[in-house]
Every structure is written in structure tokens, then in C-alpha cells.
Amino acid sequence: FKENRKDDIWLVDFYAPWCGHCKKLEPVWNEVGIEMKNMGSPVKVGKMDATSFSSIASEFGVRGYPTIKLLKGDLAYNYRGPRTKDDIVEFANRVAGPLIRPLPSQHMFEHVQKRHRVLFVYVGGESPLKEKYIEVASELIVYTYFFSASEDVLPEYVTLPELPAVVVFKDGTYFVYDEYEDGDLSSWINRERFQGYLNVDGFTLYELGDTGKLVAIAVIDDKNSSVEHTRLKTIIQEVARDYRDHFHRDFQFGHMDGNDYINSLLMDDLTIPTIVVLNTSNQQYFLPDRHIENTEDMVQFINNILDGTAEAQGGDGLLQRIKRIIYDAKSTVGSVFKSSPLLGCFLFGLPLGVISIMCYGICTADTDGGVDEHEAAKKENDDRELTDEGSEEEQEEEKNGKYTELSDGEIKQKDVMEKKKD
């Protein structure tokens, strides 16, 4: 494979036999192989045990499992999308084809526009801008398609200030790249590759982190058709549409179904429906300090975030990291017990029981040793007192002996005095 892979285009799944996510991907991957073969694609589909061929996995920068890569010549493109058959096949067809796809007619342009919600088109001839466009396409082809066309192919409602130009068609309208206002072309395309309003899930939120934008989300229950759920969603949609010129460089708008993912992200329990603004670059988030009643309230909330008057919560500081570790540990233990109580008892109950017995044994041993040591010390002191002072009988005899000696002396002194008198 290593020697011959450059002769073909390969879509490879690098997996580990013990990986649960890899096992979940396996039936999907088999469907991808069948689909690519049936459509006559030049892309060859394969999979490789990265634990058995670790040198090749390291060569392609495989750091986790499963890792999906499309290998095209000397280039290796990472797939970072949802692990579904349609998304993987679409990724393979996009990356395996030409970087810049020409649109020779209005009919072709209309056909392509119907298929793609976001469409990037270079308009004009050879120029430094086109060279830059090709360079950006080689980097961002993993996310979106890139086309080229002449000015007469574009719809009549499109007006370009000058040629050459790069145009993005989305949200029912179009926007022209302006180097002075929009900055680097790569950054602009990376920001504009999403629609103005999205149905956000965990994967989309992860992808939005590359844009550098804050993400304003209405967290709702899609199955709940109550006025409040519908109203918050409508407010976000109106701000995304009517205030694009004001906020599109800094904000991405959308809604999310359910609050489970948001709760795990914020380590908090948000009551839905609600609105939250996320900064995915540093894990900060903003909650409105008052109820959002209308579009004007939402615009004011966004302006407060931009001018720094809105209070930021969360972040990636030391305390938040410690909190994250504790939260993840609790979540892991809870999920294990929820999915398999017996396995949870075995994994966590057995080690805790062993540790408890060890601690009890250590504490008990220390206590007995302390008592024995105290009794030994007391006995030693008692022996020392007996050795120094003797028994009570000995002390009494000694006392009587002293009394007897003093009495004999007095008698002798009396005898001497009587002899002197005589």
C-alpha cells in the first residue's frame, strides 16, 4: 500500500480493533465502499489496523481512532464530518475531483446552486486573486466546493463592482469578497462557508470553532410547538437575516434541539427554551440578564457582548479546568451505572471495597500498636519506681532502722555524761 498508493486515490479508515467507535463505524464503512463502487468512482475504499501498522499510521499523522483520510498524490485530507454514509461519500467525491470546477453555462450554474446551500464562485480571468483562490481551495476543499465562471453565466440580479471577484451565494442572496473590509481570503471563506442561520448540533458547533465567531443559539425543543419555543427561534432567525451587515463578522446564529449537549458543555442545567451565546475558542458563555421579548432585546444583548458590558461566565481558567475534570468524572461514572449497573458495581465497587479494607486495616493496626506501647511504657515506669524506692515493707523497715539507730546513740550519750559526773 505504501509503495503503490500514489497511483490511485484512496479513502482509508485507520482503526483500532478495541475501539468502540471504530466498531460502530464498520457497517457504515462497508456501505461507503459499496456506494463508491456502484457509482464508478475512481476512489478506492479501504481500512487499516493502525495498531498493527503503526509506522504508516504515524506517517499520516493518525492520533485517534477512527481517523478517516482521503489520500490524493502527496496530499492527505482529514475527514471531520458526521460519520454517515452520505456525508462520507460526498466528502470523497468533492475532494477527489478538481479543486476548481468550471460552470460553463447558466443552466449549469442554476443546477449547482440548487444542490449547494453555500456556493463559492471565482469570476474573471487569470490574476493574483485567482492564484490565491486556488491556494485556499486546496486547503478548504474538505469543507466546501469551489467553482469558477464568467460574468455572463451569473444570474442577472448579480452586480459586481469590479473583476476579478470572489462571490459567495447563500441565504437567497450573494456577497462579494472585499479585501479591505474582509481581510484575508482564506479567513473570509472560512467564515462564510456556513449559512447565516443553522440547525446546530455538537459536530456543527465544533466546526464553528474554526471560524472564530461567537455562536448565538436558541436552545429549544423542536417537538414542542408552544409559543415561547417558536418565538425565541424566530427572534434568532430575524436577527441573522436583518442584521447580517452588523453582526456576520462576529456572530453565527442558529438553534439547538434539546439542552443535554449544552448542559455538558457549560457544566450547568439550562432551562429551555432559552438563549445562550458561546465563545468556543475559550469556553466562555453569555446568558441574557433579562427576558428576551423581541428582536430589539436580542440586538441589545449582542451589543452588550461586543462592548464588554455583558458578564462572561465559564472560561478555560484553572478553576474551570478542575471543575471540568470533576464534572467529567461524575458524568462518566453516572453513564456507566446508567448503561450497566452490574458493570459499574464491578468497576467502581470492587476497587473502593479493597481500598476501604486496606484503610481499615491500617487504622486498626495503628490503634493497637499505640495501646501496647502505652502499656509497655507504664509498666516500665512502675518497675523503675519499684527498683528505686523498694517495696512498702522495705521502706517501713528502713524507717524503723533509722529510729532504732537514733535511740542507741542517745543512750550512749547519757552513759558518757553519767561517767563524767561520777
Side-chain angles (χ1 to χ4, degrees), residues 68-304:
I68 299 174
K69 288 179 178 284
L70 187 132
L71 310 177
K72 184 180 179 182
D74 294 326
L75 300 176
Y77 297 92
N78 286 329
Y79 176 69
R80 298 170 60 184
R83 292 168 185 162
T84 64
K85 183 199 74 173
D86 292 339
D87 288 300
I88 295 173
V89 168
E90 198 269 342
F91 162 81
N93 290 330
R94 180 174 68 246
V95 180
L99 285 177
I100 311 297
R101 301 167 188 252
L103 299 175
S105 64
Q106 288 187 353
H107 176 73
M108 180 62 72
F109 181 91
E110 293 173 359
H111 172 72
V112 170
Q113 192 175 22
K114 290 178 181 179
R115 287 189 58 196
H116 302 284
R117 297 176 179 176
V118 179
L119 189 68
F120 290 97
V121 182
Y122 172 82
V123 185
E126 298 297 326
S127 68
L129 181 61
K130 184 175 183 179
E131 294 178 2
K132 182 65 176 177
Y133 184 72
I134 295 174
E135 179 184 341
V136 174
S138 65
E139 175 189 356
L140 301 180
I141 189 67
V142 294
Y143 299 120
T144 187
Y145 287 90
F146 293 87
F147 299 90
S148 64
S150 59
E151 190 174 14
D152 58 352
V153 170
L154 303 180
E156 295 181 357
Y157 64 83
V158 177
T159 302
L160 301 179
E162 61 179 0
L163 293 178
V166 178
V167 188
V168 59
F169 294 86
K170 66 176 185 177
D171 301 331
T173 183
Y174 70 96
F175 306 97
V176 182
Y177 167 67
D178 187 326
E179 182 178 3
Y180 297 101
E181 292 186 2
D182 300 319
D184 180 64
L185 178 62
S186 177
S187 300
W188 179 77
I189 291 178
N190 197 36
R191 291 195 305 267
E192 296 293 341
R193 63 187 176 91
F194 295 99
Q195 294 177 277
Y197 182 88
L198 296 170
N199 183 355
V200 181
D201 55 17
F203 167 75
T204 307
L205 197 59
Y206 174 77
E207 287 294 295
L208 288 172
D210 294 337
T211 66
K213 293 183 178 182
L214 299 175
V215 186
I217 304 175
V219 186
I220 62 173
D221 182 359
D222 275 339
K223 297 178 182 179
N224 192 324
S225 58
S226 66
V227 175
E228 184 66 10
H229 288 255
T230 305
R231 185 180 63 82
L232 288 183
K233 182 178 177 181
T234 302
I235 288 175
I236 296 291
Q237 288 175 328
E238 291 177 352
V239 173
R241 182 189 66 236
D242 300 337
Y243 292 85
R244 173 191 156 80
D245 293 339
H246 296 85
F247 300 135
H248 81 278
R249 287 185 176 86
D250 301 303
F251 282 85
Q252 175 67 51
F253 299 92
H255 78 274
M256 178 173 281
D257 181 21
N259 61 347
D260 291 341
Y261 185 85
I262 290 293
N263 287 345
S264 64
L265 192 67
L266 307 186
M267 297 180 289
D268 197 1
D269 292 327
L270 292 183
T271 303
I272 58 174
T274 188
I275 288 176
V276 60
V277 176
L278 304 172
N279 186 340
T280 55
S281 62
N282 60 7
Q283 299 181 10
Q284 286 185 340
Y285 63 95
F286 301 86
L287 296 174
D289 55 358
R290 58 194 177 95
H291 192 62
I292 302 296
E293 294 287 349
N294 48 45
T295 304
E296 288 71 23
D297 289 343
M298 187 65 199
V299 171
Q300 182 61 48
F301 176 44
I302 293 175
N303 286 326
N304 291 341

